[in-house]
Amino acid sequence: MVRVLGTEEEVSIIYRSLKPETEEVPRYRSKVSLSVEGGSLTLTIVSSKVSSLRASLNTYSRILLALLEIQGVVGEGARLRDSPPE
């Protein structure tokens, strides 16, 4: 289980971005589910084999890190635009 904490808006964006990845292709070796409660997103991966669990965890970790990085860049850009001109 992986838990991501943030604002409700940030967690909602991550959830909507990840949800298609959990439904798009049938997962025969791993089952992935997402749940959201307030500012907390929980990613649960269940697998019968350690190698499949590791592969799924690596995949979703990379996606999560990319999404968090994008949110950071977008957030910084929004703050920069909100700054008064010099």
Side-chain angles (χ1 to χ4, degrees), residues 42-61:
T42 303
L43 170 73
T44 305
I45 303 171
V46 177
S47 181
S48 60
K49 294 188 176 188
V50 173
S51 59
S52 298
L53 177 64
R54 185 182 53 125
S56 294
L57 186 57
N58 285 339
T59 297
Y60 283 94
S61 294

Side-chain angles (χ1 to χ4, degrees), residues 20-28:
E21 296 297 324
T22 65
E23 299 172 342
E24 193 170 288
V25 178
R27 307 284 184 212
Y28 298 104

Side-chain angles (χ1 to χ4, degrees), residues 8-18 67 71:
E8 287 188 31
E9 181 181 6
E10 290 167 339
V11 168
S12 175
I13 291 168
I14 292 170
Y15 175 83
R16 290 187 316 240
S17 299
L18 279 177
L67 289 170
Q71 278 189 332

